[in-house]
Amino acid sequence: MPIATPEVYAEMLDRAKAGGFAYPAINVTSSQTLHAALRGFAEAESDGIIQVSTGGAEFLSGTTVKDMVTGSVAFAEFARVVAEKYPVTVALHTDHCPKDKLGSFVRPLLEISAERVARGQDPLFQSHMWDGSAVPLDENLQIASELLDKTAAAKVVLEIEIGVVGGEEDGVVGEINEKLYTTPEDALAVAETLGLGERGRYIVAATFGNVHGVYKPGHVKLRPSVLKEIQDAVGAKYGKEKPFSLVFHGGSGSTPEEIRESISYGVVKMNIDTDTQYAFTRPIVDHIFRNYDGVLKVDGEVGNKKAYDPRAYGKAAEAGMAARIAEACQQLNSTGTRIK
């Protein structure tokens, strides 16, 4: 059961919250990076989440095709086949989807999952993210409410975002301002509109200074205590401890202390993309520098086929990314927690 069923995915999220750990959620863009993610989880003996963004899904369909649904379906079906050989369980997820791409990304994929479930199969993806951070909160929650009905019917978990993640991902730019910090009032509005699981399961990407992309420590002040304030406010009103399962976006470059504190407040999923991109690319650069005359036909020479064979540097890239994912599992306390 390498690809989680809806029931197992729910168990994974519950185990993380109760056990004080979080799953790395790794963005992939190819079969090679998918294998790197699976290998990293397997080496850490950790289950995990593998996800595609809108840009990643386009890329997976082919650079001249650029169809997000085609790329997503191809990724999910390929993952189902190859994941069988790895001794871990993974959930498939689609990352940030803004309003203008819902009709060409999340909604068609939900229709596919609904059709699969009607035939007695599992959904294609285990969760989808609706990124309403660029619209007013009331519109964000109105769309989230409509999507929650559809995700629940398709046995899929919905991820929503309240607040704004700064920086840029797939052309979506978040400004660095006070909106980087979700308020208790925002969280109370979420609970009032979506409930706390009775209408369908959802997870919440609340923001506490997060920034996508590359940044140095100190560029933006992370305040994990914001997550505690959110949980406390909603928990006090509804009589539940840590009522939300939270998602940490823009996690690249965070300190171990910030990560641990965030997990203590109910974070069960942390997105990692920038760091794993670099971990994949750096060994390729190293291979090219060390085999310059082999990968290039310099001055009319013939080069070295073994050096420019994509498998030569692809293996190194996979190993580098897998090692970074295993490190992430260690940081998130998920090492050794795989479902047996």
Side-chain angles (χ1 to χ4, degrees):
M1 189 181 51
I3 302 297
T5 64
E7 295 76 20
V8 168
Y9 189 36
E11 180 188 350
M12 285 171 59
L13 297 176
D14 289 341
R15 288 177 74 241
K17 195 172 182 182
F21 64 90
Y23 295 107
I26 307 300
N27 284 71
V28 301
T29 55
S30 65
S31 61
Q32 187 90 68
T33 50
L34 168 62
H35 278 291
L38 291 166
R39 175 177 171 177
F41 287 131
E43 290 177 353
E45 296 187 350
S46 169
D47 301 318
I49 299 168
I50 300 177
Q51 57 192 28
V52 289
S53 65
T54 54
E58 268 194 0
F59 187 79
L60 279 158
S61 74
T63 56
T64 60
V65 176
K66 295 185 177 180
D67 183 85
M68 292 180 287
V69 173
T70 298
S72 298
V73 172
F75 155 73
E77 296 290 7
F78 184 78
R80 276 180 162 74
V81 175
V82 298
E84 289 284 347
K85 301 298 182 181
Y86 292 86
V88 289
T89 301
V90 294
L92 306 181
H93 175 78
T94 62
D95 202 7
H96 293 269
C97 181
K99 181 181 176 181
D100 64 339
K101 293 183 178 177
L102 280 172
S104 56
F105 190 42
V106 165
R107 286 198 171 105
L109 291 174
L110 275 174
E111 290 176 7
I112 292 171
S113 284
E115 292 169 0
R116 288 172 61 96
V117 168
R119 295 194 300 267
Q121 297 175 286
D122 289 332
L124 187 66
F125 283 83
Q126 285 64 62
S127 51
H128 294 290
M129 183 189 179
W130 148 236
D131 183 353
S133 61
V135 302
L137 183 62
D138 57 349
E139 184 182 1
N140 181 349
L141 294 180
Q142 180 182 0
I143 293 172
S145 181
E146 175 254 321
L147 288 172
L148 185 60
D149 291 336
K150 294 183 182 299
T151 54
K155 298 185 178 181
V156 170
V157 175
L158 177 67
E159 180 180 332
I160 66 167
E161 183 170 315
I162 49 173
V164 176
V165 176
E168 180 177 348
E169 181 173 63
D170 277 352
V172 178
V173 180
E175 294 183 7
I176 297 175
N177 55 35
E178 72 282 354
K179 291 183 180 179
L180 293 180
Y181 303 98
T182 303
T183 67
E185 290 73 24
D186 295 336
L188 287 164
V190 170
E192 182 177 351
T193 304
L194 303 182
L196 290 175
E198 61 274 11
R199 286 185 52 197
R201 185 149 194 165
Y202 66 93
I203 53 181
V204 179
T207 57
F208 50 102
N210 322 57
V211 174
H212 286 133
V214 182
Y215 63 98
K216 294 181 179 180
H219 178 61
V220 174
K221 176 63 177 174
L222 283 177
R223 286 169 33 204
S225 60
V226 166
L227 302 179
K228 183 178 188 302
E229 294 166 6
I230 289 168
Q231 297 279 40
D232 289 349
V234 176
K237 181 172 181 178
Y238 292 93
K240 292 187 175 183
E241 184 180 0
K242 297 179 187 175
F244 292 134
S245 292
L246 299 173
V247 181
F248 187 157
H249 281 246
S252 296
S254 302
T255 67
E257 293 76 20
E258 290 166 338
I259 292 171
R260 282 194 295 270
E261 184 180 358
S262 302
I263 292 172
S264 75
Y265 300 141
V267 166
V268 298
K269 170 180 183 277
M270 187 172 100
N271 289 14
I272 304 172
D273 188 19
T274 301
D275 285 0
T276 50
Q277 286 180 346
Y278 184 78
F280 184 83
T281 302
R282 183 64 183 83
I284 298 175
V285 175
D286 181 65
H287 175 86
I288 291 172
F289 282 172
R290 287 188 298 102
N291 297 278
Y292 187 81
D293 292 341
V295 298
L296 295 177
K297 297 181 179 182
V298 179
D299 296 330
E301 294 297 328
V302 297
N304 182 346
K305 184 179 185 299
K306 290 183 178 180
Y308 59 75
D309 183 336
R311 289 171 292 184
Y313 51 83
K315 290 176 183 177
E318 179 184 312
M321 182 171 167
R324 180 61 184 87
I325 291 166
E327 178 187 339
C329 292
Q330 190 72 37
Q331 292 174 332
L332 296 177
N333 300 329
S334 71
T335 300
T337 64
R338 68 181 177 89
I339 297 173
K340 306 300 183 185

